[in-house]
Amino acid sequence: MAMSFAALAGFVVGAVAVLFYRNQIEVRGRRGETSDDAETGALPQGVASVLAVLPSSAVVLDAHDRVLRASSAARAFSLVKGERLMAAELLALARQVRRDGEIRESEIDVAGHKFGQEVTNFAVRVAPLGSHGQVLVLAEDQTERRRVEAVRRDFVANVSHELKTPVGALSLLAETIQDAADDPEAVTRFAGRMQHEAARLTYLVQDLITLSRIQGAEPIPTPGQVAIDEAVHDAIDHCNTKAIAKDITLVAGGTEGLRIWGDEELLVTALRNLISNAIAYSPEHTRVVVSARPAGDCVEISVSDQGIGIPEESLERIFERFFRVDAARSRATGGTGLGLAIVKHVAVAHAGEVSVWSKEGSGSTFTMRLPAFGGSAVPVQRPLEAANG
């Protein structure tokens, strides 16, 4: 990204410089004027057209730091107000370039915000234009790129940590079993622990594979018609054993016959993760309700529990990868910390969204809102013989 910006910036600087010199030659040729005419501060002909098509912020300053031209992006980011360059670091760079004529590159953080950003990080390139003090400033917003890089680093670090735990436990348990070869009871106990850690490792790898398939926010390659009723019942069947162990009742309700356009396997995976989470964070002898209802051109599928709820300060982070409200409980139940991240990406892959309502001590409700098949959430009536069968 940095290399491509440097290449683009170099091209723009070169193009603008060529236009500048060509303009001066044409002016002198037509009028027989000297190069001193450039000191009037007029923008070279054609420069404005070049700057107008740039996706990055571009500013041209005259010899007195007055803004001759600023792109719409530069004004949107509040780099320029009126005829003034507002970023002090950029202004200092421009003055240095004007003094020694050398092109400079740097990175700066600018206070203020655009689209909700409190601080914007820019890769900047500042170059002289001609010999009369005009300076070109190019600034590329790289805030999102830096955020993505930070997320990627955190992801790698988290994956490494999560893999080390079960792998280390398996290694230790294997050594323990070897030392306890003459104690059948101990071997049985440690073998059970090994199965638990192996299952945890399997779930983590499966979740990572699933997440890698869908986290690019790309559309589903081969979408089809998905019956919500079937997806809900498949997800409930998968979680029944876990629910029975805690005497938790799984209930399917809402409007029957709804459909979406998407991937049934991914939808079942998302619902399974929501139901599994609801069971893990609910006390015994409670209920988890999965319901669907039409909502205009969408279908809403909700999973509600009577569990411990989620603290308000955690609601904004609940869909982050590896984020756990209660790390100890999650690890004790075999959670990978990826379930809700998968749910979010499944919703996005279906051009939908997922939201959460929760209150500590009163349970939680997760709702997936997905576009309906055919553009309208109309229930499909089952044939009479199928309904009776």
Side-chain angles (χ1 to χ4, degrees):
M1 185 71 178
M3 290 291 291
S4 60
F5 171 67
L8 175 62
F11 170 77
V12 172
V13 170
V16 171
V18 169
L19 287 170
F20 181 91
Y21 287 117
R22 187 175 67 183
N23 180 75
Q24 297 308 308
I25 291 172
E26 289 176 354
V27 168
R28 290 198 296 270
R30 287 197 308 268
R31 301 180 181 176
E33 296 171 342
T34 67
S35 60
D36 292 337
D37 292 334
E39 296 178 1
T40 60
L43 193 67
Q45 193 174 22
V47 171
S49 300
V50 173
L51 300 184
V53 299
L54 288 178
S56 54
S57 302
V59 182
V60 176
L61 301 175
D62 67 8
H64 306 290
D65 294 332
R66 182 171 62 94
V67 174
L68 296 179
R69 173 69 62 171
S71 67
S72 57
R75 296 188 183 279
F77 280 111
S78 299
L79 292 176
V80 171
K81 285 186 180 180
E83 295 184 344
R84 293 178 57 203
L85 184 63
M86 304 303 295
E89 290 182 72
L90 276 181
L91 192 57
L93 278 176
R95 288 169 177 169
Q96 290 177 11
V97 168
R98 186 181 293 118
R99 283 196 299 269
D100 57 27
E102 293 184 6
I103 296 175
R104 283 183 166 79
E105 295 181 357
S106 184
E107 289 189 8
I108 65 169
D109 289 324
V110 177
H113 65 277
K114 177 192 177 189
F115 306 137
Q117 296 177 2
E118 294 183 357
V119 176
T120 305
N121 178 265
F122 290 96
V124 299
R125 187 179 178 93
V126 185
L129 288 179
S131 56
H132 300 284
Q134 290 184 335
V135 176
L136 172 65
V137 177
L138 295 175
E140 180 74 11
D141 176 18
Q142 57 177 11
T143 309
E144 180 63 15
R145 179 176 67 83
R146 291 187 66 178
R147 186 192 70 80
V148 170
E149 287 178 351
V151 169
R152 185 181 296 114
R153 286 195 301 270
D154 289 344
F155 180 70
V156 171
N158 283 324
V159 168
S160 300
H161 173 74
E162 295 294 335
L163 287 174
K164 283 179 181 177
T165 303
V167 169
L170 285 171
S171 177
L172 182 61
L173 286 166
E175 291 178 8
T176 305
I177 286 179
Q178 189 175 23
D179 294 338
D182 297 332
D183 186 348
E185 185 178 339
V187 169
T188 301
R189 185 171 67 253
F190 292 134
R193 287 295 305 165
M194 289 185 72
Q195 289 178 333
H196 174 79
E197 294 297 338
R200 181 178 169 186
L201 187 59
T202 300
Y203 294 147
L204 177 58
V205 172
Q206 287 175 342
D207 281 352
L208 286 171
I209 292 172
T210 301
L211 195 57
S212 68
R213 285 176 52 203
I214 58 176
Q215 67 179 353
E218 298 176 357
I220 296 169
T222 55
Q225 187 179 158
V226 179
I228 300 300
D229 298 339
E230 294 179 10
V232 168
H233 284 111
D234 284 351
I236 288 177
D237 286 344
H238 191 279
C239 298
N240 244 332
T241 302
K242 188 176 181 180
I244 291 171
K246 294 184 67 174
D247 192 23
I248 291 176
T249 304
L250 302 182
V251 180
T255 305
E256 296 184 351
L258 297 174
R259 300 172 299 168
I260 66 165
W261 184 253
D263 185 298
E264 182 174 4
E265 182 183 350
L266 286 179
L267 180 60
V268 170
T269 297
L271 291 174
R272 191 178 71 228
N273 284 334
L274 289 177
I275 297 169
S276 181
N277 260 19
I279 295 170
Y281 290 92
S282 293
E284 296 180 348
H285 321 303
T286 55
R287 296 200 318 164
V288 172
V289 179
V290 186
S291 62
R293 72 180 187 91
D297 59 353
C298 292
V299 173
E300 290 186 349
I301 312 170
S302 299
V303 177
S304 302
D305 63 57
Q306 299 169 300
I308 61 176
I310 303 168
E312 186 176 354
E313 63 271 15
S314 297
L315 288 175
E316 290 185 0
R317 301 190 58 196
I318 197 68
F319 295 104
E320 292 180 13
R321 290 170 293 191
F322 296 112
F323 179 78
R324 294 179 171 95
V325 175
D326 186 341
R329 179 189 292 259
S330 181
R331 289 194 173 92
T333 57
T336 64
L338 294 173
L340 291 180
I342 289 174
V343 172
K344 175 185 175 182
H345 285 292
V346 168
V348 171
H350 284 80
E353 60 184 6
V354 60
S355 59
V356 57
W357 172 91
S358 187
K359 184 177 180 181
E360 285 189 274
S362 299
S364 306
T365 297
F366 287 84
T367 302
M368 295 180 69
R369 185 181 176 91
L370 308 174
F373 174 74
S376 180
V378 178
V380 176
Q381 298 298 326
R382 291 181 295 170
L384 185 59
E385 59 274 14
N388 293 332

